[in-house]
Amino acid sequence: MDYKIAVLGTGAVGKSSIVVRYIRDTFTESYDPTVEDSYQKPDEFDGKACILDILDTAGMAEYSSLRTQYMEKGIGFVLVYSIVQTKTFQEIEPLIKKIYEVKQKDPATCTIPIVIVGNKVDLDAPGEREVTKEEGEQLAQRYHCRFLEASAKTNVNIRETFSQLVNAIDNSEFKH
Ligand code: GDP
Ligand code: MG
């Protein structure tokens, strides 16, 4: 089965880094905001072979028609914010609402497969963290999303993110 996944979130939160860590198991400190690519990754979760078709998005400052297209095509979504930047967390709920709107679904009656990822957890230190784990969990609960804190840099919860999403898709009405 082919899992169409889109990775969304504000610029510089680590979307590309998460995807590259998962696909190639590498990490770089450099930042290219323009990178936008799709990847096909064969993997196996719970003994079941699958192909992840991952779209790493960029340049999502406003609700462009391109973003609407990503939302239409995706079956599952990874929504990324940075735990050291509140502003990036505040953009997650509007993204969730937009996904439900584009798919013409009501979060009260339907669950779209979404994993919310609080990235850069390696930077967690007193005075550095701006978003608590509880805030992330509460938002996820409200929309029946999965939630993980992760680090592309130190490879924490990266494969787990995609494993959770595949599991959420398998348990949803969206699988085909
Ligand atoms: P994107 O715009 O969301 O695709 O963000 P990038 O993946 O390009 O990352 C933006 C910047 O954050 C880059 O300088 C990365 O090296 C850095 N970065 C990404 N993930 C992490 C992480 O988990 N921890 C830390 N400390 N830096 C990260
Ligand atoms: Mg990027």
Side-chain angles (χ1 to χ4, degrees), residues 12-17 27-29 31 119-120 122 151-153:
V13 294
K15 298 180 297 296
S16 301
S17 300
F27 176 78
T28 157
E29 297 283 351
Y31 174 42
N119 190 40
K120 307 199 185 185
D122 59 284
S151 170
K153 184 170 181 175

Side-chain angles (χ1 to χ4, degrees), residues 65 67-75 77 99 102-103:
S65 63
R67 168 135 71 172
T68 306
Q69 274 179 39
Y70 298 153
M71 291 178 175
E72 280 165 359
K73 285 192 193 139
I75 305 176
F77 300 88
I99 291 169
V102 167
K103 294 209 170 283

Side-chain angles (χ1 to χ4, degrees), residues 10-17 31-37 56-59:
T10 316
V13 294
K15 298 180 297 296
S16 301
S17 300
Y31 174 42
D32 181 348
T34 65
V35 170
E36 179 160 291
D37 219 336
D56 171 28
T57 67

Side-chain angles (χ1 to χ4, degrees), residues 132-155:
T132 66
K133 194 173 180 182
E134 289 69 31
E135 287 175 286
E137 282 169 348
Q138 277 163 18
L139 177 64
Q141 264 175 23
R142 216 174 313 141
Y143 290 94
H144 311 288
C145 303
R146 311 288 177 101
F147 171 72
L148 290 167
E149 288 193 336
S151 170
K153 184 170 181 175
T154 56
N155 198 7

Side-chain angles (χ1 to χ4, degrees), residues 59-65 67:
M60 311 290 279
E62 81 297 330
Y63 293 112
S64 61
S65 63
R67 168 135 71 172

Side-chain angles (χ1 to χ4, degrees), residues 82-86 123-131:
S82 162
I83 67 143
V84 294
Q85 223 184 345
T86 301
L123 298 178
D124 186 9
E128 290 296 320
R129 181 190 274 268
E130 290 187 4
V131 185

Side-chain angles (χ1 to χ4, degrees), residues 38-105:
S38 69
Y39 303 81
Q40 269 74 40
K41 165 92 170 169
D43 207 333
E44 194 181 305
F45 297 108
D46 302 322
K48 202 169 84 89
C50 56
I51 296 170
L52 279 67
D53 192 345
I54 303 171
L55 180 68
D56 171 28
T57 67
M60 311 290 279
E62 81 297 330
Y63 293 112
S64 61
S65 63
L66 201 59
R67 168 135 71 172
T68 306
Q69 274 179 39
Y70 298 153
M71 291 178 175
E72 280 165 359
K73 285 192 193 139
I75 305 176
F77 300 88
V78 178
L79 305 186
V80 186
Y81 67 91
S82 162
I83 67 143
V84 294
Q85 223 184 345
T86 301
K87 167 171 87 59
T88 67
F89 177 66
Q90 288 165 345
E91 304 213 8
I92 298 294
E93 188 170 13
L95 266 178
I96 297 172
K97 287 184 170 158
K98 186 71 186 176
I99 291 169
Y100 274 91
E101 187 189 309
V102 167
K103 294 209 170 283
Q104 301 182 322
K105 299 285 183 192

